[in-house]
């Protein structure tokens, strides 16, 4: 043994002798790593064992220090301490950790005490020896010298429960072999510290009785009876009553007693004295499926079940284990039932309710009949009706400690009569369907299962395949786990296919799973246990709108959806879509991703795509067309505040019934920030099948990309839109997308390429006629003028913007005049003509309506600020700049805000206030980096600001 935890925490690094690791916190880090040997322990969990829920600000640094010190201590030990992403991993032989050795010995003897057999069975003798070896590992209170935190208490409680279970098993075997007297001393010691655990006292009574000490057995009973009455206000339960009846029957000490039998006497004596006759025998059911093989992970969930599944707990309602198909609900419930069986001396009941099977769910009255039979009710005495059977079931479970497992429930109505009402009973219900009605029951506990953590999923794959095969290609194994959604069922199916083909590389199978449709086939089986079969059975229970939405979601390329998008996909109103989304979420086909938003699991997406593919061609296209029209409608609404006179096509074919409430620039940008991945993916998808909608998506999203500073994404989207527009044969959208591309290149500070793109836009329109062509020509000439000015040819730039203005005057439309004058102002500023720039900007603003505030208003104000006279007093100039910066910040226009910050910094530098300029730019850089983190991706804005400060783009801004 190298690491000892079952007492004070000690470490042996040399050939002999143990040493105490210095510092309670360092010992706690070692203990937690050792208990989770071979698994990554997150830093947050280490902080929890050290400080509870109040870690100091220096917590991570302190943990790093303890880990570094432990590495030095472990240098000569057979353990290695590794750093992993988000935590630390201790590896080494499990048998060298006493707590793990103890649990391994306990696992090897599981079931011996409960199995029937001759008293002198050789297997029992071996089990007794193993259990004694396990108990000798204890040197006092486990983890005795660690900081007193809730996690340490929970770990100690778990170890103590296991120790008591091992003691009970060992004593029961001793009793069965006729040597119960050998267990008396250990049982008496535990009863002194855990005297409220009735099965412990009951076993002590039996051992005392078989040792010829009936008076001491009765004393133990009455001591426990008084303590139960004093501390809990309850009378002895069935376990103690049965032990008392056995002692009072006085069969004599010479016959070994079975530790567990199929029947036991009911209460045959009162606490005040013996009765004249024993009551009828009460059957102790033991129905439970075998423990699932290859079970991995779920430690947190098992611990929560341990806490929620205490007999007699205050909250006596059922424990509801829910989650998506294939997440391992049934396996978890059965594993925990085996683990907790010793808590329930009056037996175990299990029923497969067949909630999602082709044959249909089990009838509650049939399940009640089976339960009553298990509880000893003869077949002829079982009532005919469901209500009468339920009443008798409640009578038969009253006053008992039973564990009831109701697996794969169809719904609350199926389950409600199968719930014992006695607080000594615990019921675990698993189900994929809606079980919300059960939450109304007092004390109901919900355990929502999610996919396995990556490390646990890999561990499951190793167990189902082989560690060697998984370790041979760890990257492919990690990819395979992700493609299986980290779902136990999918991982087991994948492992079974790989095991059947030993020469098949994990990477090749992962490639097959990478294709969404191929994934659905690869993870299916011939029976009802494949992923596709489970999803199909779930789908059969959906209402028509929910099933329609599940199929329609296949047209949605994003990972998340809200009620407005759902309404667009269904062509209905928002309340109806919300009901359908909630129904899908209740069946765990969608997951909550935030307020009003729902996420989709990768394995559900191809299933929905298969449903959509079964429809006729027009119906198959319909959800995608509706979604594109909805997104276009929202983009146009956003465009009112960013590019209010953007040209586009006519009214949509499928106008949505509701749109997001977007009332200003910030609301528009917030919507686009959340939906940008979907808009980009939808543009790419429709470019292949519906180019007429694709070019509009690309065009209308340009101003929003611009506002968020995502210039490269803007450029990519413009390229995709241009290619789609070229398929439509209309030169106007082609020119508009060339122009959009030019504007993105200007934002990326690539003016020569921008000028070339703008020239192509103008050239495309040579033969084009009509109002749309005129508007596109004005915009393209204006953009070309700006790009030409940035290249340095100011004379040609002024000519181009003058041509744009002349065309705008010919149309007589204010929107075209604004377009031309704004660009004339920017060209004048680039040419060193501040007075001309200011005049054009004023003229453009005069043509704009006062509301709503648009990006054009703010850009004009920025142009005017850049033209402030050098003689203007500092305080007056600063006030004007600050008003502009506040307006830019409030709107959320990151590109304009960054341009204003850099322009103000140039203003400050010109006025010999360079230190202020540097401070402002650094503060702005910190702000824009925070926006990058919010958006989930870096932007070119932070790169440009960092370059202006001479910093590496990845550097953190200076503090202070």
């Amino acid at each position: 043994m190298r690491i000892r935890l079952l007492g004070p925490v000690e470490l042996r690094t040399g050939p002999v002798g143990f040493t105490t690791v210095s510092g309670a916190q360092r010992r706690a880090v070692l203990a937690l790593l050792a208990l989770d040997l071979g698994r990554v322990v997150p830093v947050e969990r280490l902080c929890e064992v050290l400080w509870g829920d109040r870690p100091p600000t220096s917590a991570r640094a302190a943990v790093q220090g303890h880990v570094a010190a432990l590495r030095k201590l472990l240098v000569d030990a057979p353990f290695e301490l590794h750093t992993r992403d988000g935590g630390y991993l201790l590896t080494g032989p499990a048998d060298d950790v006493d707590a793990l050795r103890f649990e391994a010995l306990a696992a090897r003897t599981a079931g011996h005490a409960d199995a029937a057999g001759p008293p002198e069975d050789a297997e029992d003798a071996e089990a007794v020896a193993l259990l004694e070896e396990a108990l000798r590992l204890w040197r006092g209170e486990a983890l005795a010298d660690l900081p007193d935190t809730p996690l340490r208490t929970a770990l100690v409680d778990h170890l103590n429960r296991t120790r008591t279970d091992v003691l009970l098993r060992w004593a029961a075997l001793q009793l069965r072999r006729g040597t119960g007297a050998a267990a008396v001393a250990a049982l008496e010691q535990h009863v002194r510290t855990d005297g409220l655990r009735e099965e412990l006292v009951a076993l002590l009574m039996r051992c005392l009785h078989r040792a010829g000490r009936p008076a001491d057995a009765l004393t133990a009973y009455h001591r426990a009876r008084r303590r139960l009455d004093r501390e809990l206000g309850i009378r002895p339960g069935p376990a103690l009553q049965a032990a008392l009846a056995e002692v009072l029957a006085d069969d004599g000490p010479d016959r070994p007693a079975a530790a567990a039998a199929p029947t036991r006497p009911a209460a045959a004596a009162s606490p005040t004295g013996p009765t004249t006759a024993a009551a009828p025998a009460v059957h102790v059911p033991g129905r439970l499926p075998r423990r699932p093989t290859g079970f991995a992970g779920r430690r947190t969930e098992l611990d929560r079940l341990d806490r929620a599944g205490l007999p007699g707990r205050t909250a006596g309602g059922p424990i509801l284990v829910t989650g998506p198909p294939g997440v391992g609900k049934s396996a978890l419930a059965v594993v925990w039932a085996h683990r907790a069986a010793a808590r329930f001396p009056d037996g175990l009941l299990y029923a497969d309710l067949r909630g999602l099977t082709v044959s249909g769910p089990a009838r509650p009255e049939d399940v009640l009949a089976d339960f009553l039979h298990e509880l000893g009710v003869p077949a002829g005495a079982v009532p005919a009706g469901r209500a009468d059977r339920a009443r008798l079931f409640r009578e038969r479970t009253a006053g008992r400690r039973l564990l009831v497992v109701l697996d794969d429930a169809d719904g609350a109505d199926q389950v409600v009569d199968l719930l014992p009402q006695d607080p000594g009973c615990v019921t675990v219900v698993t189900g994929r369907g809606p079980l919300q009605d059960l939450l109304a029951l007092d004390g109901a506990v919900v355990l929502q299962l999610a996919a396995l953590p990556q490390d646990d999923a890999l561990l499951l794959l190793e167990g189902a395949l082989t560690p060697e095969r998984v370790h041979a290609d760890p990257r492919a194994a990690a990819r395979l786990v992700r493609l299986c959604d980290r779902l136990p069922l999918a991982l087991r199916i994948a492992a079974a296919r790989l095991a059947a083909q030993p020469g098949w590389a994990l990477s090749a199978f992962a490639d097959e799973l990478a294709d969404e449709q191929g994934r659905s086939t690869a993870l299916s089986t011939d029976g009802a246990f494949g992923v596709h079969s489970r999803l199909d059975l779930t789908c059969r229970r959906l209402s028509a709108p929910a099933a329609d939405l599940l199929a329609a979601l296949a047209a949605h390329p994003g990972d998340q959806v809200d009620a407005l998008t759902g309404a667009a996909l269904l062509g209905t109103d928002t309340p109806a879509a919300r009901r359908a989304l909630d129904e899908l979420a209740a069946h765990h086909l969608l997951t909550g991703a935030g307020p009003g938003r729902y996420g989709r699991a990768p394995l559900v997406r191809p299933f929905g795509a298969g449903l959509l593919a079964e429809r006729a061609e027009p119906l198959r296209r319909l959800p995608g067309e509706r979604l594109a029209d909805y997104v276009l409608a929202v983009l146009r609404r956003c465009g009112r505040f960013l590019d209010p006179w953007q040209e586009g096509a006519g009214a949509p074919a499928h106008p949505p019934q509701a749109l997001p409430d977007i009332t200003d620039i910030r609301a528009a940008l917030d919507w686009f920030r959340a939906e940008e991945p979907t808009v980009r993916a939808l543009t790419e998808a429709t470019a292949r099948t519906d180019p007429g909608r694709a070019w509009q998506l690309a065009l209308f999203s340009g101003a929003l990309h611009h506002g968020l500073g995502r210039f490269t994404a803007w450029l990519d989207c413009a390229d995709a839109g241009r290619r789609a527009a070229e398929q439509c044969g209309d030169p106007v959208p082609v020119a508009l997308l060339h122009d959009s591309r030019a504007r993105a290149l200007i934002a990326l500070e690539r003016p020569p390429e921008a000028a070339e793109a703008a020239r192509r836009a103008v050239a495309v329109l040579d033969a084009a006629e009509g109002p749309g062509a005129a508007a596109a020509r004005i915009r393209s000439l204006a953009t070309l003028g700006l790009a030409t000015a940035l290249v340095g040819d100011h004379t040609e730039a002024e000519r181009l913007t003058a041509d744009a203005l002349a065309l705008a005057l010919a149309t007589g439309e204010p929107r075209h005049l604004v377009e031309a004058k704004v660009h004339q102002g920017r060209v004048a500023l680039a040419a060193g003509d501040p007075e001309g720039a200011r005049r054009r900007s004023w003229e453009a603003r005069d043509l704009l309506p006062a509301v709503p505030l648009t990006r054009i208003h703010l850009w004009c104000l920025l142009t005017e600020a850049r033209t402030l006279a050098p003689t203007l007093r500092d305080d007056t100039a600063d006030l004007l700049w600050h008003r502009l910066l506040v307006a830019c910040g409030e709107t959320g226009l990151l590109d304009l805000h960054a341009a204003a910050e850099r322009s103000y910094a140039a203003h400050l530098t010109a006025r010999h206030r360079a230190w202020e300029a540097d401070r402002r730019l650094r503060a702005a850089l910190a702000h824009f980096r925070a926006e990058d983190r919010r958006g989930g991706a870096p932007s070119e804005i932070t790169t440009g600001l960092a370059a202006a400060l001479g910093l590496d783009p990845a550097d953190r801004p200076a503090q202070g």
Side-chain angles (χ1 to χ4, degrees):
M1 208 62 61
R2 294 281 188 160
I3 299 176
R4 300 204 296 195
L5 309 176
L6 303 179
V9 176
E10 294 176 342
L11 173 67
R12 178 163 64 87
T13 56
V16 293
F18 282 85
T19 59
T20 300
V21 177
S22 61
Q25 289 192 343
R26 192 161 299 163
R27 291 192 292 272
V29 172
L30 174 63
L32 194 55
L33 290 168
L35 286 171
D36 280 350
L37 189 73
R39 298 183 182 181
V40 175
V41 180
V43 173
E44 291 77 10
R45 186 167 169 85
L46 291 168
C47 292
E48 187 181 355
V49 81
L50 297 179
W51 298 286
D53 59 356
R54 295 178 177 271
T57 55
S58 59
R60 286 182 174 269
V63 169
Q64 290 170 357
H66 291 312
V67 168
L70 288 173
R71 282 200 177 106
K72 295 178 181 178
L73 289 174
L74 295 170
V75 69
D76 294 324
F79 296 96
E80 290 187 25
L81 184 47
H82 309 272
T83 300
R84 291 290 184 266
D85 185 22
Y88 298 95
L89 169 70
L90 184 67
T91 59
D95 274 356
D96 278 1
V97 180
D98 62 353
L100 303 184
R101 172 68 177 163
F102 172 75
E103 292 186 341
L105 290 168
R108 287 175 60 184
T109 60
H112 280 290
D114 297 328
E120 299 295 338
D121 189 280
E123 291 186 4
D124 280 2
E126 180 186 359
V128 166
L130 292 173
L131 292 168
E132 288 175 348
E133 180 186 347
L135 292 169
R136 283 196 298 270
L137 293 171
W138 286 74
R139 299 169 291 109
E141 182 186 358
L143 311 178
D145 48 359
L146 301 191
D148 188 14
T149 60
L151 180 54
R152 181 258 180 193
T153 300
L155 294 171
V156 172
D157 287 347
H158 170 72
L159 290 169
N160 284 340
R161 285 195 301 271
T162 307
R163 182 187 189 186
T164 302
D165 291 342
V166 168
L167 176 69
L168 286 168
R169 205 180 307 155
W170 169 74
L173 285 169
Q174 294 282 31
L175 185 64
R176 185 161 72 187
R177 301 174 68 228
T179 56
V184 167
L187 288 171
E188 285 180 331
Q189 180 181 353
H190 271 71
V191 165
R192 282 193 288 272
T193 59
D194 196 8
L196 296 176
R197 185 159 179 173
E198 294 188 42
E199 61 267 36
L200 194 63
V201 180
L203 192 53
L204 171 61
M205 290 173 61
R206 289 190 173 95
C207 288
L208 287 168
H209 178 223
R210 297 306 166 195
R213 297 166 57 184
D216 290 337
L218 292 173
T219 299
Y221 170 83
H222 289 295
R223 187 181 292 118
R225 176 181 60 81
R226 289 192 295 269
R227 187 172 178 184
L228 288 167
D229 180 60
R230 181 176 66 252
E231 297 185 24
L232 301 180
I234 62 174
R235 300 182 65 187
L240 275 178
Q241 296 269 10
L244 177 63
E246 185 177 319
V247 173
L248 294 175
D250 197 20
D251 291 330
D254 48 57
R255 179 180 62 80
T263 61
R264 62 168 175 78
S270 71
T272 58
T275 59
T276 56
V282 177
H283 194 78
V284 179
R287 177 192 292 190
L288 201 63
R290 65 177 179 82
R291 191 182 191 279
T293 58
F295 185 83
R298 300 295 188 203
R299 179 169 182 167
T300 300
E301 290 85 351
L302 287 168
D303 287 344
R304 186 175 175 195
L305 284 170
D306 281 341
R307 294 191 296 273
L310 293 171
R313 69 199 192 284
T314 303
I319 303 170
L320 310 180
V321 182
T322 65
V327 79
K329 301 176 292 295
S330 299
L332 176 70
V334 172
V335 165
W336 181 77
H338 281 277
R339 165 171 162 158
R343 299 183 186 181
F344 303 96
D346 297 316
L348 312 167
L349 290 171
Y350 171 88
D352 179 1
L353 299 183
R354 305 195 308 273
L356 291 178
T357 59
V358 177
S359 59
R363 300 194 314 158
E365 49 268 44
D366 295 338
V367 177
L368 285 167
D370 289 343
F371 279 178
L372 291 171
H373 176 71
E374 288 288 316
L375 292 168
V377 178
V382 174
R386 172 176 171 174
D388 291 334
R389 290 180 180 182
R391 183 170 55 253
L392 182 57
F393 176 66
R394 289 191 293 270
E395 292 174 2
R396 284 295 178 131
T397 55
R400 305 183 71 171
R401 287 191 178 180
L402 283 165
L403 173 60
V404 181
V405 179
L406 303 175
D407 194 17
D408 195 14
D410 178 58
D413 181 66
Q414 184 191 33
V415 168
V416 67
D417 283 336
L418 307 178
L419 304 176
Q421 294 184 345
D422 194 280
C425 298
V426 171
T427 305
V428 178
V429 183
T430 75
R432 282 163 277 177
L435 300 173
Q436 294 95 325
D437 290 347
L438 289 177
L439 296 177
L441 298 175
D442 291 339
V445 176
V446 178
L447 179 56
Q448 174 77 50
L449 289 193
L452 287 170
Q454 183 77 2
D455 288 339
D456 287 343
L458 285 169
L459 190 64
L460 187 152
L461 190 63
E462 289 179 15
L465 205 51
T466 63
E468 294 77 16
R469 197 167 174 189
V470 172
H471 295 164
D473 194 348
R475 287 189 178 181
R479 182 173 173 234
L480 189 151
V481 162
R482 288 193 297 271
L483 290 169
C484 287
D485 236 7
R486 306 194 313 278
L487 290 175
L489 175 63
L491 288 166
R492 288 195 177 94
I493 294 172
R497 291 199 61 194
L498 286 164
Q501 310 233 7
W504 201 358
L506 268 66
S507 58
F509 188 50
D511 289 340
E512 180 178 337
L513 294 182
D515 174 66
E516 281 198 348
Q517 295 306 317
R519 189 183 316 161
S520 180
T521 303
L523 298 177
S524 297
T525 63
D526 293 335
F529 300 103
V531 173
H532 187 278
S533 299
R534 298 287 181 94
L535 290 170
D536 183 60
L537 290 169
T538 303
C539 186
R540 294 184 187 186
R541 302 186 60 202
L542 298 174
S543 65
D548 285 345
L549 182 56
L550 181 62
L553 283 169
H556 192 295
D559 294 327
Q560 295 182 11
V561 66
D562 61 10
L564 288 168
T565 310
L569 287 165
L570 285 176
T572 187
D573 57 27
T574 307
R578 188 173 288 113
R579 288 192 295 272
L581 287 165
D582 287 342
E583 184 177 347
L584 292 176
H587 286 87
H588 307 285
L589 297 170
L590 296 176
T591 58
R597 297 187 69 83
Y598 302 81
R600 284 186 295 164
L603 290 180
V604 177
R605 186 195 300 273
F607 177 78
L611 296 178
L612 186 61
E614 294 172 358
R615 299 180 175 182
E617 175 63 22
L619 295 177
R620 191 160 62 242
R621 291 197 311 265
L622 185 59
E625 293 174 354
R626 285 172 170 169
L627 178 63
D629 285 349
Y630 165 76
V631 173
L632 281 170
V634 183
L635 289 173
R636 286 181 171 182
R637 175 168 288 190
C638 294
R640 291 172 51 204
F641 307 100
L642 287 103
D643 192 359
W645 295 318
Q646 175 71 70
E647 299 292 332
H654 308 287
Q657 296 189 27
L659 294 174
D661 185 22
I662 296 171
T663 57
D664 54 28
I665 296 173
R666 178 169 287 279
L669 293 173
D670 286 344
W671 176 86
F672 189 66
R673 182 181 285 108
E675 300 293 344
E676 190 271 338
T678 298
V679 175
R680 187 172 65 248
L682 188 60
T683 303
E684 295 171 356
T686 54
R688 297 186 296 270
T689 60
D690 194 353
R693 287 183 171 89
W695 73 255
Q696 294 183 72
L697 289 166
L699 184 64
F700 291 145
S701 62
L704 291 154
H705 277 120
H706 195 181
L708 290 179
R710 298 178 181 177
F711 307 143
T712 300
W714 180 13
L715 181 61
D716 292 342
C717 202
D719 281 334
R722 175 184 53 78
R723 289 190 293 270
E726 287 171 347
Q727 297 179 50
C728 298
D730 185 347
V732 172
V734 175
L736 289 172
L737 268 303
H738 274 301
D739 176 79
S740 183
R741 188 172 186 274
R743 291 168 183 250
L745 289 165
I746 289 173
L748 287 166
E749 299 182 4
R750 293 156 60 181
E753 296 173 73
E756 178 59 29
R759 274 192 289 271
R760 291 182 180 179
V762 173
V764 165
L765 295 165
D766 277 347
E769 296 180 355
R777 188 174 287 110
I778 293 167
R779 172 164 286 207
S780 301
L781 283 170
T783 303
L784 178 56
L786 178 58
T788 303
L790 294 174
V791 171
D793 189 347
H794 302 301
T795 302
E796 177 64 10
E798 289 173 355
R799 186 191 68 77
L800 289 166
T801 52
D803 288 348
L805 180 60
L807 289 173
L809 288 168
T811 67
E813 293 194 30
R815 57 179 180 147
H816 299 325
L817 290 170
V818 170
E819 184 96 48
K821 289 180 179 291
V822 166
H823 281 77
Q824 274 192 319
R826 295 183 68 180
V827 167
L829 191 63
D833 178 13
E835 183 61 36
R838 184 162 52 248
R839 184 176 65 257
R840 291 304 190 189
S841 179
W842 285 345
E843 292 171 353
R845 272 207 296 139
D846 283 343
L847 293 168
L848 289 169
V851 290
L853 179 69
T854 68
R855 118 179 238 107
I856 301 175
H857 289 86
L858 293 173
W859 194 266
C860 290
L861 291 173
L862 176 58
T863 299
E864 294 161 26
R866 286 169 166 170
T867 64
L868 291 175
T871 57
L872 192 66
R873 287 176 45 179
D874 278 359
D875 56 350
T876 304
D878 287 347
L879 180 60
L880 293 172
W881 275 108
H882 288 166
R883 285 176 177 171
L884 174 62
L885 289 167
V886 167
C888 291
E890 287 177 348
T891 61
L893 285 165
L894 302 185
D895 72 304
L896 201 56
H897 192 182
E901 288 285 2
R902 294 178 71 172
S903 296
Y904 184 39
H907 167 84
L908 292 172
T909 302
R911 295 192 175 213
H912 308 292
R913 295 161 63 186
W915 66 274
E916 288 185 66
D918 185 80
R919 178 174 59 82
R920 281 204 64 89
L921 285 179
R922 289 180 184 274
L925 181 59
H927 168 75
F928 291 121
R929 280 179 167 152
E931 290 289 344
D932 284 354
R933 290 192 293 274
R934 181 183 172 198
S939 69
E940 289 80 4
I941 290 175
T942 53
T943 306
L945 279 176
L949 289 165
L951 299 174
D952 185 285
D955 288 344
R956 292 185 178 276
Q959 301 297 312

